[in-house]
Amino acid sequence: MAENKKAIISSTRDLVEKYGLMAKKTLGQNFLLDGNITDKIVRLSLAEQKKGDWAGETVVEVGPGPGGLTQAVLRKNPKLLRVIEMDDRCLDILREIRGYYPQLDIVCGDALQFDWQDMAEREGKFHIISNLPYHVSVALLLEWLKKASCFKSLTLMFQKEVADRITAVPGGKNYGRVSVISQLQCEIVRLFDLPPTCFVPAPKIWSSVLLFKPRPEPVEPALLEKVEKLTEKAFGQRRKMIRQSLKSVSGLERMAAEVGIELTWRAEDLSVQQYLALAQMM
Ligand code: SAM
């Protein structure tokens, strides 16, 4: 059945041409028009989750645009695919796709305002997939990490430089606040990197697709907030020793001794678990 639909529905490139959709820079629009690439994102994400398709699963896509990734998800048979797009110029294309796939639910709005917790409470845990608009990618990620227990997985495209920061290990210049919070809440797998030529229009930089698998027991919001404050202070003065950058943390000396860290260390020397241990004592 899915194979028949694939033969009938127009390619994303044809849909973009038919509806005259021009990418807008202010909305972070760099489209994926090649079905081989969108299929690869979905295929590698599913394989890493040991799944052959999305059967029985609910998926949310942020920023479907002209629907290339949307069609790739739909070809793998989700129970429901909800897409959230703030550019109403994309709606006619998405409605045409819905004509072939009734399990597509189109929401026109700002993903930054969407209530993820409410959806999870009403409909159960779900998957997120997105070729993220680069200007809101970190804000969305931090919001999702706070609510990690709502999600089964997150398959996300970032600028490669941001992906490098998310996956960085201690000791290097890329390691920072977003690495600590991401790795605390999720196991992260880099699926693949894409050159600028994969997008229309082509950006200046490479991109990377990451799969986030929420940990079985993510850190609760109140404790996560403490980790956020701690890492903000530490990495805010990343060249200073923590004796200086964390001097406003009361009982620092005792806590550092208990966690097994030296006050002469810098922010990048502490592991994710050491940040968590410090936050638990605050
Ligand atoms: N998924 C499409 C693809 O891969 O070709 C488009 C990806 S494009 C990088 C990002 C999309 O996110 C655009 O369609 C843009 O209009 C949409 N977008 C930007 N900011 C948004 C927001 N705050 N909420 C929802 N969608 C947003």
Side-chain angles (χ1 to χ4, degrees):
M1 178 113 167
E3 285 308 306
N4 287 341
K5 285 173 182 168
K6 193 174 163 186
I8 302 163
I9 194 166
S10 302
S11 72
T12 309
R13 215 175 278 280
D14 289 345
L15 287 170
V16 164
E17 200 167 308
K18 175 173 167 188
Y19 290 95
L21 182 66
M22 302 285 285
K24 260 194 199 167
K25 212 174 168 182
T26 49
L27 286 170
Q29 292 183 338
N30 296 96
F31 298 141
L32 287 169
L33 303 183
D34 182 344
N36 293 313
I37 294 169
T38 50
D39 281 344
K40 182 173 175 184
I41 295 172
V42 172
R43 190 179 65 247
L44 293 187
S45 173
L46 286 169
E48 191 61 47
Q49 298 177 63
K50 305 199 172 16
K51 288 179 179 296
D53 59 27
W54 298 112
E57 303 286 339
T58 295
V59 183
V60 173
E61 185 192 359
V62 169
L69 189 55
T70 314
Q71 288 202 46
V73 173
L74 288 166
R75 282 194 280 273
K76 292 293 182 185
N77 203 24
K79 181 174 76 178
L80 171 79
L81 170 59
R82 178 164 295 142
V83 293
I84 307 169
E85 173 57 64
M86 73 186 294
D87 183 358
D88 56 14
R89 297 176 312 142
C90 301
L91 296 182
D92 284 339
I93 296 184
L94 296 170
R95 287 190 196 111
E96 179 161 339
I97 297 172
R98 192 176 52 196
Y100 296 89
Y101 294 98
Q103 70 270 51
L104 178 61
D105 177 34
I106 304 166
V107 176
C108 187
D110 182 353
L112 289 167
Q113 306 297 326
F114 192 79
D115 192 338
W116 310 100
Q117 186 99 37
D118 181 64
M119 176 168 165
E121 279 163 16
R122 285 168 195 270
E123 301 176 44
K125 287 188 181 200
F126 52 95
H127 300 265
I128 290 198
I129 191 161
S130 181
N131 170 16
L132 285 166
Y134 70 95
H135 58 302
V136 290
S137 63
V138 173
L140 276 168
L141 175 66
L142 291 173
E143 178 63 19
W144 288 329
L145 292 170
K146 276 185 202 153
K147 311 202 157 92
S149 56
C150 295
F151 311 115
K152 288 188 174 175
S153 74
L154 303 101
T155 306
L156 305 173
M157 173 98 69
F158 291 94
Q159 295 173 274
K160 182 173 177 298
E161 163 256 316
V162 177
D164 290 345
R165 278 166 40 209
I166 291 168
T167 54
V169 293
K173 68 174 174 30
N174 284 330
Y175 184 63
R177 191 169 155 243
V178 75
S179 336
V180 174
I181 294 168
S182 302
Q183 294 169 35
L184 201 52
Q185 296 295 66
C186 298
E187 182 194 337
I188 305 162
V189 183
R190 185 182 294 248
L191 297 181
F192 64 113
D193 295 339
L194 296 87
T197 47
C198 290
F199 301 86
V200 178
K204 291 196 176 68
I205 34 89
W206 278 61
S207 301
S208 307
V209 185
L210 302 180
L211 171 68
F212 294 71
K213 297 192 247 181
R215 299 202 182 277
E217 288 181 7
V219 173
E220 291 302 315
L223 180 55
L224 193 66
E225 208 170 297
K226 287 184 183 172
V227 177
E228 280 185 315
K229 285 201 175 122
L230 197 60
T231 49
E232 202 175 310
K233 284 189 180 123
F235 288 102
Q237 299 185 65
R238 62 183 300 143
R239 300 176 69 87
K240 299 255 167 70
M241 294 178 192
I242 57 166
R243 170 185 289 128
Q244 170 66 25
S245 58
L246 297 184
K247 71 177 179 205
S248 62
V249 175
S250 75
L252 178 67
E253 202 160 330
R254 174 187 50 80
M255 285 170 13
E258 269 183 54
V259 176
I261 59 178
E262 304 285 339
L263 295 180
T264 52
W265 288 10
R266 293 177 168 77
E268 66 189 36
D269 299 323
L270 277 70
S271 70
V272 171
Q273 289 310 317
Q274 285 168 332
Y275 276 112
L276 178 63
L278 281 181
Q280 278 165 332
M281 286 186 243
M282 282 169 66

